Amino acid sequence: MLATWKVSLVPCFPSSRYRSGFCCRADALQSHETGGQDNKENKKKKVVIVGSGWAGLGAAHHLCNQGFDVTVLEGSPDDVGIRGYWYPYQNIFSLVNELGIKPFTNWTTSAQYSEEGLEVEFPIFNDLPQLPTPLGTLLYTKFARLPLVDRLTSLPLAAAVIDFDNTDTAWRKYDSITARELFKQFGFSERLHRDVFGPLLQVGLFAPAEQCSAAATLGVLYYILAHQKDFDLVWCRGTVKEKIFEPWIDFIRTKGFDILEDRKVTDLIFNEETGCITEIVCGMESYNADAVIFAVGISRLQELIKNSAVLCTREEFLKVLNLAGIDVVTVKLCLDRKLWEFLHLPYSWMLHLHIQYVWLLTNQASVSKVKIPNAINACSGFDYSSGWTFFDLNIIHDEHKDDSVTVLQADFYHSNELLPLKDDDIVAKVMSYLSKCIKEFEDAVVTDKKIGRFPQSLTHFYPGSYKYMMRGSTSFPNLFMAGDWIINRHGSWSQEKSYVTGLEAANRVVDYLEEGSFAKIIPVEEDEPHIQALRSLNRNFNQFRSQVPLSNFFLQ
């Protein structure tokens, strides 16, 4: 590790983006030879990864196994977003098996609420006779209020699902319209949209249907509904950080991996002759790199682009400035019902309460806990801007299983209106919403709270966003991208997509540096035979239609 003076050719307009040309800049940078003295002997190739979520750690894991010298910057990712792990997440399930850890619950039932109360209960589809898509989902799902005639209006959407095959053509065709327009075109009833699909979308793509891309909607809906069992979920038995990331990082460290949580990337050093990124700058320190992977969210990358004279020279990175993130607010509450509910009883019952005092002390847990029918719940209809979920942590998390009070967490997506509120005001809103879902929450009092605010932390797949999103390779030969917003053709979503793109980025490094073996990525399960047949027929029809004169004349 040497402290050196570096003279490099870099753009000379970090403060004024409209100047052109290059100038010599002398920087007093402390250069980190990331492999230390051992690196000089075995000449390991150096890979720097920016970001340590599913994508960053996924790439680091494979590259360390291939003998590369890997350094991860900007550690400690926030645990926000979708918390469930669907049945198709086979790459993540394979990973935890490799690590020898058991972080997940069993398959769980879930429910969906509106302002009027319970709307839908979802069973464990694996436990039921398997029917062709979409029959099992329609027949086994328990709708508390929605009439059959409304449910049947969802069937025409199958035509769009068949047409959307995750190709670039399909994305461009459907990305320009909103999910609400899509539902309208295919004849959804108002009630089906309001009480079922709208809420699902708000917790799956984190925004109202009128602000979601129809392409992203079709992608995520088909991913979790392609087979009857695909909608089944497991949950982490604690925070992802403690149950998965920490043991994962410990496992990778045995391979020589280094993670630096307090290093924030401020710039890049670019070699004009090779066209490659040669160093990653963190303040007054720099890290040499033979290859680089960016595995960060949109808002963090936008911040880096605005401050990097190197990235600002490339159109693909400038386009990222058109993308957007979504705000998230998380609310963890401890709720107690001991004696509180009895204060509303008549006087005669208060005497009875005195007689039962000893019983109350010995049965404290059963009195104090709110009875939540399902541990996992999605909600909407309380306001039009945000969707939210709430979880019974007494059931899900190991650390709360023996608590005498109710411990729950509520996550609010697209929470622009909640973000600036004071903690007490947020809690008051949450308790009001919970009381409309489950009556017993009216008698609960908050004994402890923890509020998390995460502005611009999730990807907003808004209509028209696809054309601004990046692919896994960039115009810099040794710089690669990973994350849930990166364009790929695997077909997965959320945490699974992040992890898969991390493995894809690792494979690109292996290919570029011509060392090591490629990571094996488990593909999404094949379509059922009747879906395959319909998609083949649809492709043939589209090919025929493209040959018709003036087929491209009208706006598609």
Side-chain angles (χ1 to χ4, degrees):
M1 185 183 298
L2 302 172
T4 61
W5 285 86
K6 292 189 176 291
V7 178
S8 56
L9 288 176
V10 297
C12 60
F13 48 90
S15 60
S16 177
R17 299 299 183 196
Y18 300 102
R19 298 180 185 177
S20 60
F22 290 82
C23 64
C24 289
R25 186 181 72 184
D27 289 332
L29 294 176
Q30 184 179 20
S31 178
H32 292 263
E33 299 290 344
T34 53
Q37 295 300 320
D38 292 339
N39 183 69
K40 295 179 180 178
E41 297 174 6
N42 56 33
K43 296 181 180 180
K44 285 185 177 181
K45 294 290 179 67
K46 308 182 192 73
V47 182
V48 174
I49 300 172
V50 183
S52 63
W54 283 105
L57 292 180
H61 183 166
H62 181 71
L63 292 173
C64 285
N65 284 338
Q66 302 309 306
F68 293 99
D69 174 16
V70 179
T71 298
V72 174
L73 305 173
E74 301 193 9
S76 298
D78 295 324
D79 182 17
V80 296
I82 295 176
R83 299 185 184 274
Y85 295 76
W86 276 294
Y87 182 88
Y89 283 20
Q90 294 303 312
N91 287 281
I92 286 180
F93 296 148
S94 176
L95 168 70
V96 299
N97 289 336
E98 180 186 346
L99 298 178
I101 58 177
K102 297 185 181 299
F104 298 126
T105 65
N106 294 325
W107 303 110
T108 60
T109 61
S110 58
Q112 189 171 309
Y113 289 88
S114 72
E115 199 167 16
E116 297 179 358
L118 179 66
E119 293 290 346
V120 187
E121 287 186 289
F122 299 101
I124 299 173
F125 290 99
N126 270 288
D127 294 343
L128 300 168
Q130 300 296 298
L131 298 174
T133 298
L135 297 180
T137 307
L138 285 174
L139 292 177
Y140 297 139
T141 302
K142 299 177 183 178
F143 295 90
R145 304 171 187 273
L146 192 68
L148 177 61
V149 64
D150 290 272
R151 285 176 256 164
L152 292 177
T153 63
S154 66
L155 292 178
L157 186 66
V161 172
I162 296 297
D163 190 41
F164 183 83
D165 57 2
N166 201 40
T167 60
D168 184 71
T169 300
W171 269 90
R172 293 184 184 279
K173 176 179 179 179
Y174 286 98
D175 188 58
S176 60
I177 63 173
T178 70
R180 192 180 192 285
E181 289 173 317
L182 179 74
F183 296 154
K184 183 179 178 180
Q185 286 179 16
F186 285 88
F188 269 37
S189 74
E190 173 63 28
R191 196 166 177 180
L192 177 69
H193 170 256
R194 183 187 68 233
D195 295 341
V196 179
F197 275 81
L200 280 177
L201 209 55
Q202 282 190 296
V203 299
L205 289 177
F206 317 119
E210 61 270 19
Q211 297 184 37
C212 289
S213 155
T217 300
L218 290 170
V220 71
L221 284 179
Y222 186 67
Y223 182 60
I224 61 175
L225 299 174
H227 309 83
Q228 179 182 300
K229 57 192 176 185
D230 287 351
F231 197 75
D232 286 343
L233 289 156
V234 295
W235 302 80
C236 198
R237 294 171 24 239
T239 66
V240 173
K241 182 177 181 180
E242 68 179 3
K243 292 294 184 180
I244 300 178
F245 287 168
E246 288 179 357
W248 192 6
I249 289 171
D250 290 341
F251 180 88
I252 305 175
R253 276 195 170 122
T254 64
K255 311 286 185 179
F257 153 88
D258 194 12
I259 181 168
L260 305 175
E261 298 184 359
D262 58 344
R263 302 298 195 278
K264 186 172 183 179
V265 176
T266 54
D267 208 344
L268 312 171
I269 291 180
F270 169 67
N271 185 314
E272 279 194 314
E273 293 182 3
T274 64
C276 293
I277 303 299
T278 57
E279 296 178 61
I280 302 297
V281 180
C282 299
M284 297 306 295
E285 297 180 309
S286 71
Y287 297 84
N288 297 336
D290 295 298
V292 180
I293 296 173
F294 281 166
V296 295
I298 288 171
S299 60
R300 176 65 188 107
L301 183 60
Q302 288 176 333
E303 179 185 355
L304 185 55
I305 292 168
K306 292 174 183 177
N307 292 294
S308 170
V310 175
L311 297 181
C312 276
T313 64
R314 303 301 169 100
E315 183 180 357
E316 66 207 305
F317 285 94
L318 291 175
K319 285 184 177 180
V320 173
L321 300 178
N322 292 295
L323 296 175
I326 287 177
D327 299 333
V328 178
V329 170
T330 65
V331 183
K332 185 175 181 180
L333 299 176
C334 291
L335 304 174
D336 199 348
R337 297 177 66 229
K338 293 191 297 290
L339 301 183
W340 173 260
E341 60 182 310
F342 294 97
L343 296 179
H344 300 286
L345 296 176
Y347 179 72
S348 60
W349 279 95
M350 296 296 287
L351 294 177
H352 184 67
L353 172 64
H354 178 74
I355 296 171
Q356 296 295 327
Y357 180 70
V358 175
W359 180 87
L360 286 170
L361 291 179
T362 57
N363 294 275
Q364 192 178 55
S366 63
V367 171
S368 61
K369 288 187 178 180
V370 177
K371 296 176 183 177
I372 304 175
N374 293 279
I376 315 301
N377 304 277
C379 312
S380 75
F382 300 86
D383 60 56
Y384 292 104
S385 63
S386 64
W388 58 290
T389 53
F390 70 93
F391 318 103
D392 185 348
L393 299 187
N394 297 109
I395 300 297
I396 300 172
H397 285 192
D398 293 343
E399 66 173 307
H400 297 301
K401 286 188 182 299
D402 298 324
D403 287 2
S404 61
V405 296
T406 299
V407 183
L408 65 81
Q409 178 159 323
D411 292 350
F412 289 80
Y413 312 112
H414 199 266
S415 55
N416 318 40
E417 298 175 16
L418 283 180
L419 205 64
L421 299 183
K422 295 180 180 178
D423 286 0
D424 289 343
D425 293 332
I426 292 175
V427 170
K429 272 184 174 287
V430 173
M431 290 304 298
S432 172
Y433 292 171
L434 288 170
S435 299
K436 293 176 181 177
C437 296
I438 298 174
K439 196 75 171 175
E440 287 189 22
F441 280 114
E442 293 180 353
D443 300 319
V445 60
V446 176
T447 60
D448 197 10
K449 64 180 182 293
K450 182 179 179 181
I451 312 295
R453 294 173 174 82
F454 305 95
Q456 303 294 294
S457 59
L458 299 177
T459 304
H460 187 184
F461 293 93
Y462 65 85
S465 60
Y466 178 77
K467 58 181 173 288
Y468 303 122
M469 291 185 176
M470 297 190 68
R471 300 178 186 272
S473 298
T474 71
S475 58
F476 299 100
N478 69 333
L479 174 59
F480 308 100
M481 308 297 298
D484 73 338
W485 61 280
I486 299 301
I487 294 173
N488 78 341
R489 299 302 168 210
H490 182 261
S492 50
W493 278 91
S494 196
Q495 307 101 315
E496 176 83 349
K497 183 180 178 182
S498 291
Y499 178 53
V500 166
T501 58
L503 296 180
E504 290 175 339
N507 286 345
R508 290 185 172 97
V509 170
V510 167
D511 184 54
Y512 172 74
L513 296 178
E514 298 182 337
E515 291 184 14
S517 301
F518 294 122
K520 295 180 180 179
I521 300 173
I522 302 171
V524 172
E525 186 176 354
E526 289 187 356
D527 293 333
E528 294 177 357
H530 66 290
I531 300 296
Q532 292 183 28
L534 289 170
R535 281 195 160 158
S536 177
L537 183 64
N538 183 68
R539 279 192 293 270
N540 292 335
F541 174 74
N542 287 336
Q543 289 174 1
F544 170 77
R545 188 174 60 179
S546 67
Q547 305 302 318
V548 176
L550 300 178
S551 60
N552 295 320
F553 178 77
F554 295 102
L555 180 66
Q556 300 294 312

